[in-house]
Amino acid sequence: MIARKGPLFTGNDWDFDTIRRIHDACEAIAGPELGLSWYPNQIEIITAEQMLDAYASIGMPLFYKHWSFGKHFAQHEAGYRRGLMGLAYEIVINSDPCISYIMEENTATMQTLVIAHAAFGHNHFFKNNYLFRQWTDAEGILDYLEFAKTFITRCEERYGHNAVEAVLDAAHALMNQGVHRYPRKKRPDLSSEQRRERERHEHQERMYNDLWRTLPAKAQSGKPDPHAERRRALLELPQENILYFLEKAAPRLQPWQREILRIVRHVAQYFYPQRQTKVMNEGCATYNHYRIMTRLSETGQINEAAYLEFLQSHTNVIRQPTYDDRHYGGHNPYAIGFAMMTDIARICTEPTEEDRAWFPDIAGSGDPMGVLRDVWANYRDESFIAQFLSPKLMRQLRLFHVTDDPDQPELRVEAIHDERGYRRLRRAFARQYDVAWLDPDIEVVDVDLEGDRKLILHHKVLNRVLLNKDDAMRVLQHLADLWGYDVLMKEVDSTTGAVLKEHTASARPTFF
């Protein structure tokens, strides 16, 4: 028998005491009943304009200034004022404490929904998923952002706004190539960055002076050049993290410019896990908000009108337009994530013979939340879909796989939701979320240490997909400006090793 409790609120209005009661009620379900664990919550009420501002600065409460943020703010504001776009009900920050921004325009029901979604769903995922534990420092990020904002402001005062903006423009262009994709020796400790700044600069200057002291003469033919070998070792080549490489080895950058590259690199690394877990993160938050809101309804803490308001919003969030719908814009991560979480719970409690054949480890386990907590902790989107997308859900979602081969005159349907196509379909769908397929694989492979110090990069081409020429040249120009010398990038076939295309750029003397 379900114990009935009094309502948390009546009507749409709320005050801060209401928010506190809502939080406590959600907490009483999230912990004892769902087994979630989370960082301490910090809930802040903001206006629509502040939400637009948060949009512009990629959701961070403290951030340095850059013209692109103002551009985004103007675009979002114009769309919002004209009724062409809505605003998110909340923004949540992966920090300790976990900060959830909720809009003051929300009704009491929507405040309940977003607290369940962000303060407990997203918060649990941030704290427990292995990628966030491995790559982010939730405890130190807010202090680091404050340091970054102060440092860049001081640089603008000392070196001029244009000089700082030029470095930021170049660094932002390289952000996607400014992350470590494989674990480093130690976890990031952002809280110590400000303290270690002076020591780091002194150490780097010693290395730069030794590395770039002389331009060695050409080695005799057939004989190894010990100077070149030593310098390649110091440069840690090949290197996939281009911002890291420039920060450590670009010969003409000043210490303050290197520090700005380091700041942008840390911000890029902070967001790297979020790019790999969009489906899982939103699926976790959506599934948990659904469970919490349903439980609040069952116990009488929200009335039928509030529950219907919630269901309308929830249904809109998880709507997945079909491929021939004019609103179709790809797969909705909320829809895919929630459907998969719900399907896993079904497999654990009410499995079919098909489920037992495909998922023998979890089918009929009777512990859906235990299985889901393990999934949220140990997978990313690509591996999650490859492991847990069921035939039943493929049929329900009517998935099919189309190949667009530029050498063929027509599209070809490679797999549909049938016995022959399930595994191929699941593999192809999972690959759409694999960062190894989404981001170009570009590495710094060499430097012409004996000649003009030209920087050489390789782009390993997958499936004959070359970089867009104009975009590649713009980004390569930023790279050349930071490096200070010419840059050559070769697009190399990952299978044969053949060079398919080359791009070059020269440093502009006006950059500094």
Side-chain angles (χ1 to χ4, degrees), residues 377-408:
N378 296 302
Y379 292 84
R380 59 190 176 103
D381 285 349
E382 182 266 337
S383 57
F384 168 62
I385 292 171
Q387 183 75 21
F388 293 102
L389 183 61
S390 72
K392 182 179 185 300
L393 192 55
M394 284 185 248
R395 294 191 295 269
Q396 180 182 325
L397 296 174
R398 303 188 180 206
L399 297 179
F400 59 94
H401 174 45
V402 175
T403 298
D404 185 4
D405 189 335
D407 295 334
Q408 299 296 326

Side-chain angles (χ1 to χ4, degrees), residues 13-30:
D13 295 335
W14 54 269
D15 55 24
F16 290 107
D17 286 336
T18 308
I19 297 296
R20 187 176 297 108
R21 291 197 304 273
I22 289 170
H23 175 274
D24 293 346
C26 292
E27 182 179 47
I29 298 169

